[in-house]
Structure formats: structure tokens, C-alpha cells
């Protein structure tokens, strides 16, 4: 158990990407579903927390990159969970990538990675748009934060003043940085998305690519990054 995180959040840590399990009373909900080995790592983490007794009711996807959705269909089928995912990334759930510019590198990686890693296509039970509310965990609001992908969403808890920020930024070794442009479908949009995230009432941020620091520390780093981006020339 990572004591940096509140008791109702379980961070499933992996070498390439982390994802989150939320406990809502006697039910569990995932924020993304991890990459290689994600199912096994999740099951071990649930046993350690003694949450394996609770049913997984839903999987909420932040965006359609393969490292976030590789295990979605497997987990949904195994646990009978529903899937909610951004409407604008529907191509990726169907097993297709069409990224522009430098992000064609990510497109190539996904094209070869899907069959190699056994990706299973899926159709979300609910497609999410900006402002949509999910009636879990005292309310989670979808916040459109495009740039990484067209449909990239953050998931905001007004009650807890926490933002699950997906891949809006990465947070390691004391600093927040933008993801490399080979993974961003529209890099010039990202500073605007960072500014939009920072306008929310926040006590903490939980990225998918980060060290084990507490949510308040990731927020501090994001604020520093936001200030730097605001003072920098346009990336256009």
C-alpha cells in the first residue's frame, strides 16, 4: 500500500504506466486498465489491499492509446464490468490509429503492437464527452483535455478536489513535463489543456506516468509546468 494515496484509491504501479482502482462503498472502478502485465499486477495489488473481495463494476478510459486500453476487454469480460471511454478516440478501441505529424511513430508502434500483444477490440457501453458526469465515487466529471489524443479526458472529482489527468503530463524526479511529441496527436493544444486543468478546484492530481509522490506533489509540479508554458512562446 502506498501511504501517499488516500485509502479509497489504489495505484497499480508498473514499469511503463500506472493506473488506478477506486473503491466506492463495496464496489471498484478502474481508471484505465494498464499495459503489459496489467491484469496480473492489478490482481496482486487488490489482494494486498484486501480489495479482491469486491466486484469491479466499471472501467473508465482516459484515452485510446494502447498502453491504457490493452487490458480493457479482458478485464471487462472477466469481471462483467461496463466500459466508459472518450467518444473522439473510438477508432483506437476498434483497433485503428490515424495520428498526424510526429505521432505517426506512435501509430506505427500501435499497429505492430496490437497483434503482438493480443489486443482485443471493444465497444464502450458509454461514450464520454466534455462535462459528462459518472455516478461513481461521489461523482466523476469528464474534462476534455485534448492534444495527447483527440479525445483525451481527465476525470475530475469535485467532492475530493482530485483530477485523474491521464497523459496530460508526466511527473518524475521532482518535475512535470509534457509527453514527447511522438505520442501527441496535436501538441499545440496541450498548453491550453494544462491551463484548463489548472482552473479546476484542486488539492491533488494523479497522472498515469509518474513516480510514487502524493497527489499534492504532482499538482505542485503541474502548476510549475503551467506557469512555464504560459510564459513560453507558442508551440504552433
Amino acid at each position: 500500500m502506498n501511504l501517499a494515496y488516500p485509502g479509497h484509491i489504489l495505484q497499480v504501479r508498473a514499469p511503463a504506466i500506472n493506473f488506478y482502482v477506486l473503491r466506492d462503498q463495496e464496489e471498484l472502478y478502474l481508471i484505465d486498465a494498464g499495459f503489459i502485465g496489467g491484469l496480473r499486477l492489478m490482481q496482486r495489488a487488490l489482494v494486498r489491499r484486501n480489495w479482491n473481495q469486491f466486484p469491479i463494476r466499471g472501467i473508465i478510459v482516459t484515452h485510446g492509446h494502447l498502453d491504457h486500453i490493452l487490458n480493457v476487454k479482458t478485464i471487462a469480460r472477466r469481471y462483467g464490468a461496463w466500459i466508459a471511454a472518450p467518444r473522439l478516440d473510438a477508432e483506437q478501441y476498434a483497433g485503428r490509429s490515424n495520428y498526424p505529424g510526429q505521432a505517426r511513430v506512435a501509430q506505427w508502434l500501435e499497429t505492430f503492437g496490437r497483434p503482438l500483444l493480443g489486443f482485443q477490440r471493444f465497444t464502450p457501453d458509454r461514450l464520454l464527452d466534455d462535462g459528462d458526469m459518472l455516478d461513481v465515487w461521489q461523482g466523476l466529471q469528464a474534462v476534455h483535455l485534448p492534444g495527447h489524443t483527440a479525445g483525451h479526458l481527465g476525470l475530475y472529482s469535485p467532492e475530493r478536489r482530485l483530477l485523474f489527468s491521464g497523459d496530460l503530463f508526466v511527473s518524475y524526479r521532482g518535475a512535470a513535463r509534457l509527453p514527447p511529441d511522438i505520442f501527441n496527436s496535436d501538441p499545440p493544444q496541450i498548453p491550453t489543456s494544462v491551463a484548463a486543468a489548472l482552473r479546476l478546484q484542486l488539492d491533488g492530481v494523479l497522472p498515469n506516468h509518474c513516480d510514487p509522490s502524493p497527489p499534492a506533489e504532482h499538482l505542485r509540479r503541474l502548476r510549475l509546468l503551467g506557469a512555464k508554458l504560459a510564459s513560453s512562446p507558442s508551440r504552433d
Side-chain angles (χ1 to χ4, degrees):
M1 176 177 175
N2 184 348
L3 296 178
Y5 285 84
H8 44 261
I9 302 172
L10 174 60
Q11 186 190 58
V12 181
R13 293 195 60 79
I17 181 174
N18 312 309
F19 62 105
Y20 297 92
V21 184
L22 310 182
R23 179 175 170 182
D24 188 346
Q25 302 297 323
E26 304 297 296
E27 300 177 339
L28 304 178
Y29 298 89
L30 306 188
I31 306 292
D32 292 324
F35 196 35
I36 299 168
L39 174 60
R40 173 179 50 83
L41 291 168
M42 180 193 74
Q43 290 171 329
R44 289 181 178 178
L46 292 176
V47 170
R48 286 194 298 268
R49 183 67 70 88
N50 199 29
W51 283 8
N52 56 312
Q53 61 186 302
F54 303 125
I56 297 174
R57 297 297 192 199
I59 304 168
I60 309 166
V61 174
T62 62
H63 63 289
H65 278 166
L66 186 60
D67 58 332
H68 293 250
I69 66 171
L70 176 63
N71 303 302
V72 167
K73 181 66 175 286
T74 299
I75 293 174
R77 184 161 48 194
R78 179 169 299 195
Y79 292 94
W82 49 255
I83 304 166
R87 184 185 304 276
L88 294 178
D89 283 357
E91 262 199 344
Q92 287 98 305
Y93 321 141
R96 299 186 296 271
S97 301
N98 185 22
Y99 307 137
Q102 293 184 52
R104 289 193 184 94
V105 175
Q107 177 177 324
W108 181 87
L109 291 171
E110 290 191 338
T111 298
F112 285 91
R114 288 189 190 100
L116 184 65
L117 300 175
F119 171 72
Q120 298 180 57
R121 301 174 185 179
F122 63 90
T123 301
D125 300 283
R126 178 175 177 183
L127 291 170
L128 297 174
D129 298 301
D130 185 46
D132 285 351
M133 291 294 297
L134 289 154
D135 187 23
V136 302
W137 217 56
Q138 296 179 280
L140 284 175
Q141 180 182 355
V143 181
H144 190 211
L145 301 172
H148 189 61
T149 68
H152 184 273
L153 294 176
L155 295 157
Y156 174 56
S157 168
E159 182 71 22
R160 294 178 169 90
R161 294 166 60 102
L162 291 172
L163 175 68
F164 296 90
S165 59
D167 285 4
L168 177 66
F169 69 107
V170 300
S171 183
Y172 292 101
R173 295 182 293 278
R177 300 174 180 83
L178 298 184
D181 279 349
I182 62 170
F183 299 115
N184 299 325
S185 63
D186 193 351
Q189 284 192 301
I190 296 181
T192 301
S193 292
V194 168
L198 289 172
R199 286 195 294 270
L200 300 169
Q201 297 295 312
L202 292 172
D203 290 332
V205 179
L206 299 98
N208 282 92
H209 298 274
C210 64
D211 61 32
S213 299
E217 169 61 14
H218 295 306
L219 174 59
R220 183 193 70 83
R221 298 174 188 176
L222 180 61
R223 284 174 171 155
L224 290 174
L225 175 62
K228 180 179 178 181
L229 292 172
S231 64
S232 296
S234 170
R235 289 159 57 98
D236 288 332

